[in-house]
């Protein structure tokens, strides 16, 4: 079982500081969130699994495609396996407005990005493309082997899809797992769940790990602690060491 974490909670750390964190907590790698100007801490000695870009496709968007290609050029000569892109509209409440999507344009953009690189393009289960039901159709339409899925376990559940359904539909295309915990808001106007410490929410994290292990999943389980923008996590004021200690402890019973 390979563990990594997103540097969202320690964006100010250098590559060497991230490497020290990995060594201290027995973690195998890091996924790096790119800054708005496309930079990220890099060192050959740090195992960087993927780069989380802020690219978000709502159709065939030349500006977003150019940004993704620039990142792919940056990692071309590295061992970094993939970049992450988003699809659709970000929204947290049911009453928030959403832009109309050009699905055909999204398909065309993903085909172009996949054809541009030998790296993988990872689409996250997010926004209007959160569920296996939607993503299975998209994967078929794009028709590229280097299009893969990040299964962020909270978002299909927020949309009412069971984990076994998600896995049945897109399991063979899952390259990466985002681990977090959460619970529904008490106010039903909220689409997004409220994030919690691991074990304090309702997400079936251990069931997901068991399901993936039983089916031979070989990718990373990555902690995505979104204290960079989630107020409910910010107020906990946990240090990087505390965050990672709890992560490793929580998943330790499933480590091989």
């Amino acid at each position: 079982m390979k563990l990594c974490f997103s540097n969202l909670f320690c964006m100010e750390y250098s590559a060497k500081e991230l490497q020290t964190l990995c060594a201290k907590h027995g973690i195998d790698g890091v996924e790096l969130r790119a800054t708005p100007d496309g930079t990220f801490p890099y060192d050959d000695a740090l195992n960087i699994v993927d780069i989380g870009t802020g690219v978000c496709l709502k159709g065939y968007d030349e500006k977003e495609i150019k940004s993704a290609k620039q990142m792919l050029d940056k990692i071309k000569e590295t061992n970094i396996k993939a970049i992450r892109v988003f699809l659709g509209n970000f929204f947290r409440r049911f009453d928030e407005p959403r832009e109309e999507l050009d699905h055909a344009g999204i398909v065309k953009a993903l085909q172009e990005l996949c054809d541009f690189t030998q790296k993988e393009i990872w689409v996250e289960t997010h926004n209007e493309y959160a569920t296996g039901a939607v993503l299975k159709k998209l994967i078929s339409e794009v028709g590229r082997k280097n299009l893969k899925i990040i299964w962020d376990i909270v978002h299909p559940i927020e949309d009412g899809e069971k984990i076994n359904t998600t896995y049945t539909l897109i399991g063979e295309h899952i390259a990466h797992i985002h681990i977090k915990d959460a619970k529904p808001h008490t106010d039903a106007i909220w689409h997004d769940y409220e994030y919690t410490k691991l074990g304090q929410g309702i997400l079936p994290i251990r069931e997901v790990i068991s399901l993936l292990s039983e089916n031979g999943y070989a990718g990373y389980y990555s902690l995505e602690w979104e204290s960079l923008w989630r107020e409910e996590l910010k107020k906990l004021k946990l240090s990087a060491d505390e965050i990672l200690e709890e992560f490793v402890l929580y998943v330790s019973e499933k480590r091989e």
Side-chain angles (χ1 to χ4, degrees), residues 8-251:
L8 284 172
F9 59 86
C10 53
M11 290 282 287
E12 74 280 8
Y13 277 39
S14 68
K16 292 195 179 299
E17 287 173 320
L18 292 170
Q19 188 182 7
T20 298
L21 272 181
C22 288
K24 182 176 181 180
H25 296 284
I27 290 173
D28 306 292
V30 180
E31 60 175 313
L32 299 180
R33 174 75 181 212
T35 62
D37 63 0
T39 62
F40 55 89
Y42 180 80
D43 188 286
D44 285 335
L46 179 66
N47 179 26
I48 302 170
V49 180
D50 68 290
I51 303 297
T53 74
V55 169
C56 185
L57 297 168
K58 300 177 184 180
Y60 188 86
D61 186 322
E62 291 183 356
K63 182 180 178 181
E64 294 292 274
I65 293 168
K66 179 180 178 181
S67 179
K69 287 180 177 180
Q70 287 173 337
M71 183 59 71
L72 288 166
D73 280 335
K74 284 183 181 180
I75 70 169
K76 185 175 182 180
E77 303 301 326
T78 73
N79 290 325
I80 301 171
K81 188 174 184 179
I83 67 166
R84 186 277 316 278
V85 301
F86 289 114
L87 309 176
N89 291 288
F90 288 95
F91 60 96
R92 298 193 65 190
R93 291 162 52 107
F94 287 109
D95 61 347
E96 288 179 336
R98 306 183 208 178
E99 293 181 33
E100 185 175 349
L101 300 180
D102 173 12
H103 177 77
I106 290 173
V107 170
K108 180 181 177 182
L110 289 173
Q111 289 174 331
E112 184 172 327
L113 290 177
C114 287
D115 291 343
F116 178 79
T117 184
Q118 294 185 352
K119 302 289 187 179
E120 291 180 351
I121 306 298
W122 289 355
V123 169
E124 190 164 336
T125 55
H126 221 300
N127 306 338
E128 291 92 342
Y129 291 82
T131 64
V134 174
L135 287 169
K136 181 179 181 180
K137 178 176 182 290
L138 176 76
I139 291 166
S140 176
E141 290 173 329
V142 174
R144 301 295 190 272
K145 291 183 178 180
N146 58 335
L147 177 65
K148 303 291 184 180
I149 302 298
I150 298 177
W151 186 8
D152 187 322
I153 62 174
V154 67
H155 300 305
I157 292 172
E158 288 171 334
D159 279 5
E161 190 171 77
K162 303 289 188 182
I163 61 170
N164 286 304
T165 300
T166 303
Y167 186 81
T168 298
L169 291 166
I170 59 172
E172 65 182 299
H173 305 288
I174 292 171
H176 195 68
I177 306 297
H178 278 170
I179 296 289
K180 61 187 63 164
D181 208 350
K183 60 186 179 181
H185 278 273
T186 55
D187 186 346
I189 196 66
W190 286 89
H191 169 269
D192 275 16
Y193 281 17
E194 179 183 358
Y195 288 7
T196 69
K197 294 173 71 173
L198 296 179
Q200 294 184 2
I202 60 104
L203 298 189
I205 300 169
R206 291 198 171 100
E207 290 88 339
V208 168
I209 293 172
S210 294
L211 175 63
L212 289 163
S213 178
E214 290 166 4
N215 285 278
Y217 172 72
Y220 287 84
Y221 295 86
S222 181
L223 176 68
E224 191 177 43
W225 184 265
E226 298 183 25
S227 56
L228 188 63
W229 46 67
R230 287 279 184 165
E231 293 298 326
E232 64 267 37
L233 299 182
K234 281 183 185 180
K235 70 182 181 182
L236 296 176
K237 297 182 179 179
L238 297 178
S239 69
D241 282 318
E242 289 171 324
I243 291 165
L244 294 178
E245 283 170 7
E246 291 197 355
F247 172 50
V248 174
L249 180 64
Y250 187 81
V251 300

